[in-house]
Amino acid sequence: MLKKWSAAVLAGALAVGALAGCGGGDDAGSGDSGGGGGKITMGFSQVGAESGWRTANTKSIQESAATAGIDLKFSDAQGKQENQIKAIRSFIAQRVDVIAFSPVVESGWDTVLKEAKDANIPVILTDRSVDSQDKTLYKSFIGSDFVLEGKKAGEWLVKEYEGKPEPVNIVELQGSPGAAPANDRKAGFAEVIKADPKFKVIASQTGQFTRTDGKEVMEAFLKAHQDIDVLYAHNDDMGLGAIEAIEAAGKKPGTDIKIITVDAVKDGMTALAAGKINYIVECSPLLGPQLMDLAKKVKAGETVEQRVVTEETTFTQEQAKAALPDRKY
Ligand code: AHR
C-alpha cells in the first residue's frame, strides 16, 4: 500500500518537473527537500495568470514570502486542475512544511488533500475554497466572501434603477466554469435582483476571467441583443474586454450600457474613473502577508482560524478618482 502511494507521489513529482520546464519560474518539481535548516518551506500552487488580479496576487505572495523568510516553491497551474494536483503531489514528495493553493475549481480535491493530510503536511487554501465536506483536510481558508461580492453588485443595481419601472436587460460575463468566484458571484447577484422581476438576465456566459474572452463573448451578446441595459462582469478584465466590444459596436460604455465589475485592479479603476465602468466591488489580491503569518503559526503548531475573510470595499466613479493615485496594483 505504502509502495503504491509513494509511486503515485513520485509520478506526480516527475510530471510537475516536466511542467516546470515549460512554464517560467515554476519550481514545484525542483526535487529539493523541504523543511531543512529551520527555514519554512511552502509549496504554492497558483491558478495561472488569467487576470490583473492574479498577477497582483502572485506578486503579493512572492514578495511576502521573501519578507517573511519563507522558502517559496511556486507552481503555475495554467488554469488546469490536473496541474494543481500534480504540483501538490510534488510538494508532498518534497516534504515541504506547508502547502498553500488557490483552487482552479471548487470540486474534486478530497483525494489529494487526504494524501497531504496522511503525509502530515498542513494545507492552507488561499483566495478560493473547495467544496470538501471534511473540513479537517485543510487548516485554514483565507480569502474573500464571493457571495457577498455578488450581492454588493446586485444591491448597487437595485438602487440605481429604483423607481424606474421598465425592464432592465442584463448580460452577465461569468468567471471560469466551476471556480468558486464564478459560482458565488453569480449566486449572490441573482439572490438580490430576484426580488424585482424587472431585472432580467437575458444572457449569461463564461468569459474565463480573461480580457480576450470577455471581449469575444460581449461581441456575441451585442449581435444577439439590441437592448442591453447592463453588463455584470465577474471581474475587471472581462469588463475591460467587453468595453472594447461595446465601443467597436458604436455604443458608449458606462452610459448606453451600465457596467458593474469585481476586483478593482488599477486598469479597472482607471476605466471607472473615466466613466466607462459604473461600479466596482473590490476583491483584494493582497493575501500574501496574512498567508505567511498563518503558515508560521501552523508550522509552530498553533491553532489558527478555519476561515479568514478579507476586508473589502466598493467603488463608485468619484471614489475611484480619489483612490487611483494610491492604488498599488
Ligand atoms: O479568485 C479571484 C478571481 O480570480 C478574481 O476576481 C479574478 O480576476 C481572478 O481571475
Side-chain angles (χ1 to χ4, degrees), residues 240-281:
L240 291 164
I243 287 173
E244 291 177 32
I246 293 168
E247 286 176 336
K251 296 196 178 205
K252 219 173 158 202
T255 307
D256 297 330
I257 297 179
K258 294 205 195 291
I259 302 179
I260 311 164
T261 65
V262 184
D263 275 357
V265 295
K266 218 171 202 156
D267 286 355
M269 294 285 273
T270 305
L272 180 62
K276 295 187 179 194
I277 294 179
N278 302 79
Y279 192 64
I280 300 186
V281 178

Side-chain angles (χ1 to χ4, degrees), residues 128-325:
R128 302 176 178 183
S129 190
V130 297
D131 63 6
S132 304
Q133 293 308 305
D134 182 357
K135 305 291 176 212
T136 69
L137 292 177
Y138 55 91
K139 293 283 176 201
S140 186
F141 163 39
I142 169 175
S144 310
D145 181 338
F146 297 132
V147 176
L148 183 64
E149 290 173 351
K151 283 185 179 169
K152 287 180 186 171
E155 279 156 11
W156 179 84
L157 188 66
V158 168
K159 221 162 167 222
E160 181 70 10
Y161 283 89
E162 210 168 18
K164 296 178 190 156
E166 59 280 355
V168 181
N169 291 332
I170 304 160
V171 294
E172 180 180 30
L173 282 169
Q174 299 177 34
S176 43
N183 296 341
D184 295 353
R185 285 173 189 164
K186 182 172 176 53
F189 183 75
E191 167 81 24
V192 171
I193 63 162
K194 78 172 184 215
D196 190 337
K198 79 178 173 198
F199 294 109
K200 295 184 195 317
V201 179
I202 56 170
S204 180
Q205 210 177 300
T206 180
Q208 302 288 359
F209 280 132
T210 69
R211 226 176 258 218
T212 317
D213 288 59
K215 183 179 177 189
E216 237 171 65
V217 178
M218 191 66 203
E219 279 165 358
F221 284 165
L222 287 161
K223 276 190 192 130
H225 306 276
Q226 308 307 311
D227 48 357
I228 301 170
D229 299 306
V230 175
L231 162 67
Y232 168 44
H234 290 186
N235 80 345
D236 287 346
D237 279 79
M238 292 189 293
L240 291 164
I243 287 173
E244 291 177 32
I246 293 168
E247 286 176 336
K251 296 196 178 205
K252 219 173 158 202
T255 307
D256 297 330
I257 297 179
K258 294 205 195 291
I259 302 179
I260 311 164
T261 65
V262 184
D263 275 357
V265 295
K266 218 171 202 156
D267 286 355
M269 294 285 273
T270 305
L272 180 62
K276 295 187 179 194
I277 294 179
N278 302 79
Y279 192 64
I280 300 186
V281 178
E282 186 185 40
C283 176
S284 175
L286 306 180
L287 304 176
Q290 275 173 300
L291 172 62
M292 300 310 149
D293 279 356
L294 276 174
K296 284 184 179 173
K297 285 184 182 157
V298 161
K299 176 70 169 98
E302 289 175 37
T303 312
V304 294
E305 283 177 74
Q306 254 266 323
R307 176 73 170 108
V308 181
V309 185
T310 318
E311 274 179 39
E312 283 149 353
T313 184
T314 55
F315 294 96
T316 60
Q317 293 173 339
E318 287 315 307
Q319 288 165 333
K321 280 180 204 161
L324 251 181

Side-chain angles (χ1 to χ4, degrees), residues 18 42 51-52 56 68 286 324 327:
M42 173 188 285
S51 62
L286 306 180
L324 251 181
R327 203 72 185 157

Side-chain angles (χ1 to χ4, degrees), residues 31-37 39-42 71 73 91 93-97:
D32 294 344
S33 66
K39 204 174 184 188
I40 295 176
T41 303
M42 173 188 285
D71 179 14
K73 293 177 179 298
F91 296 145
Q94 292 174 62
R95 302 278 332 143
V96 298
D97 296 304

